[in-house]
Amino acid sequence: MSFLKVSNLTKEYANHCVVNDISFSIEQGEFISLLGPSGCGKSTTLNMIAGLESPSGGEIHLGTNNITHLPPGKRGLSMVFQSYALFPHLTVKENILFGLKARRVDKQEQIKRLKHAIELVGLGEHIHKKPSQLSGGQCQRVALARSIASQAPLCLMDEPLSNLDTKLRNEMRNELRQLQKSLGLTLVYVTHDQIEAMSMADKIILLNQGQVEQQGTPESFYQQPESTFVARFIGHPPMNLIPHGEHVIGIRPEHIELNSAGHAATINSCDYQGATTVINADIVSGPYQGAKDIQLSLMGKHHLSTGALLNILWPEQEQHLFSKTTGKRLAGV
Ligand code: ADP
Ligand code: MG
């Protein structure tokens, strides 16, 4: 039996279906990322698990309990929002203890949990400050500490790092991942950022227009995208898709190499990015003649001028194959 099981979950607003028959399950201690573009139904799905929105159809089970219609406070879960949702008039300490007081947790136990949570997120010196005296990153840590102190068996997070600058976001990604593992938290983490999902999650559930497009490990998303949508969503630069007869050929920019035996191509642009150089070119010979804006990512620095010719090739085993009509994966690596 799974720790959390979401079955055929659906949400309609005024006859418009924003979450459409979603099913997935999560094991205890897993880090799951709900990934997808803006507006695909991630927050709505998370809010239904939290009990903040009621489903139009489907069921949610936590262990053997059907929690579909339980009020949020009775579900045994904690939630971290993108906006932190801290009380502005309460100190860090009071914010963290708020839920424990409301649930009348024993005083000594409250202090023990507070100390532990504060230590984990490194907020010791700020404990008597109010949110307005803290940076965005520190507020985020308070929200995390509150979630940790609740010791809820399931933790839900909705884009919790999106308000932070890049450096802090990278640090927090690592901290959060370590924390989740060391505490054995079961975590559902919503993000639109494929890199965040790929680097943090044990399992990714990718949503597209309210439906599950693919679910599985980060490796399976990279190696076996089940549709052209997934192929383009995961990886940077995105996978090249080349229409070819009944099919669409997929090839990742990092799998294309310069090879004198390859297809001739003219260069549209050449962008040096530090570790790699990304080249955009149109294929002008061979079976893929006419394919435009093919991107290749080469290691190191390459000086190639616009309009110049080069020859490109990729190993056949790195090629992905999709149906032109359905966009679904047919074969390939
Ligand atoms: P995401 O979190 O993936 O960006 P949301 O779950 O917030 O997406 O929203 C999914 C879709 O549902 C969007 O098109 C949004 O406009 C719509 N939606 C969300 N909440 C409501 C609501 N209360 N009433 C009507 N439409 C809503
Ligand atoms: Mg959202």
Side-chain angles (χ1 to χ4, degrees):
M1 182 190 54
S2 295
F3 184 72
L4 175 75
K5 192 167 194 302
V6 169
S7 316
N8 309 106
L9 201 60
T10 296
K11 179 71 180 177
E12 287 171 13
Y13 288 114
N15 289 334
H16 179 55
C17 197
V18 298
V19 171
N20 189 355
D21 198 20
I22 283 182
S23 299
F24 59 86
S25 52
I26 298 175
E27 304 309 319
Q28 189 153 17
E30 267 189 326
F31 190 129
I32 299 295
S33 177
L34 266 184
L35 175 69
S38 179
C40 70
K42 305 181 294 296
S43 295
T44 307
T45 303
L46 203 70
N47 290 342
M48 288 193 283
I49 299 172
L52 303 173
E53 304 253 18
S54 57
S56 312
E59 290 188 343
I60 305 165
H61 283 84
L62 197 56
T64 50
N65 295 334
N66 183 341
I67 63 165
T68 319
H69 301 290
L70 271 191
K74 296 227 159 101
R75 295 189 177 206
L77 46 80
S78 68
M79 186 146 175
V80 180
F81 300 91
Q82 182 175 357
S83 56
Y84 323 132
L86 301 178
F87 294 109
H89 61 291
L90 299 183
T91 64
V92 168
K93 176 181 168 180
E94 290 162 344
N95 263 291
I96 295 172
L97 289 179
F98 187 85
L100 303 185
K101 283 188 176 153
R103 298 206 320 263
R104 299 182 201 284
V105 171
D106 173 78
K107 271 259 159 58
Q108 297 233 302
E109 175 67 15
Q110 284 187 27
I111 298 305
K112 204 173 112 196
R113 290 196 201 175
L114 173 71
K115 277 189 170 167
H116 178 61
I118 284 286
E119 200 175 307
L120 279 171
V121 300
L123 277 174
E125 60 196 282
H126 304 293
I127 184 164
H128 297 298
K129 290 186 183 166
K130 300 225 167 119
S132 60
Q133 297 169 283
L134 302 174
S135 70
Q138 288 164 337
C139 287
Q140 195 62 72
R141 287 167 194 233
V142 178
L144 282 172
R146 183 177 54 185
S147 169
I148 291 160
S150 79
Q151 296 193 354
L154 177 64
C155 185
L156 309 177
M157 298 191 182
D158 193 349
E159 314 237 13
L161 308 185
S162 59
N163 289 340
L164 310 183
D165 63 46
T166 309
K167 184 169 173 288
L168 190 57
R169 192 159 62 224
N170 287 338
E171 283 170 20
M172 289 297 285
R173 267 185 206 158
N174 287 334
E175 283 186 30
L176 191 55
R177 176 73 184 156
Q178 278 172 18
L179 213 59
Q180 181 265 336
K181 283 286 163 245
S182 65
L183 296 176
L185 288 178
T186 309
L187 181 56
V188 184
Y189 185 99
V190 162
T191 181
H192 65 274
D193 180 345
Q194 57 109 358
I195 295 178
E196 213 162 85
M198 290 292 279
S199 62
M200 294 172 89
D202 296 311
K203 194 169 129 193
I204 297 173
I205 296 162
L206 178 61
L207 302 185
N208 179 20
Q209 296 187 349
Q211 291 183 307
V212 176
E213 186 79 20
Q214 180 165 345
Q215 47 182 311
T217 61
E219 294 80 9
S220 71
F221 273 78
Y222 182 78
Q223 291 167 359
Q224 306 237 302
E226 283 169 14
S227 65
T228 50
F229 176 84
V230 183
R232 294 286 290 179
F233 201 83
I234 301 288
H236 184 81
M239 186 187 283
N240 295 294
L241 297 176
I242 308 174
H244 188 63
E246 304 282 285
H247 303 137
V248 173
I249 308 275
I251 185 72
R252 293 203 181 274
E254 55 273 31
H255 293 144
I256 302 183
E257 49 199 39
L258 301 184
N259 185 318
S260 56
H263 319 292
T266 52
I267 299 173
N268 298 318
S269 65
C270 180
D271 295 330
Y272 173 59
Q273 298 191 344
T276 58
T277 302
V278 175
I279 295 166
N280 180 302
D282 297 342
I283 298 180
V284 294
S285 80
Y288 307 117
Q289 184 174 1
K292 296 220 178 296
D293 294 318
I294 302 304
Q295 287 194 289
L296 45 149
S297 180
L298 303 175
M299 292 300 286
K301 185 165 182 166
H302 294 256
H303 269 305
L304 296 164
S305 38
T306 305
L309 267 183
L310 41 70
N311 291 89
I312 61 171
L313 199 62
W314 54 86
E316 202 169 328
Q317 72 269 17
E318 299 293 359
Q319 195 167 284
H320 302 253
L321 200 63
F322 303 97
S323 157
K324 194 185 261 178
T325 44
T326 65
K328 296 293 173 204
R329 179 182 195 82
L330 293 172
V333 288

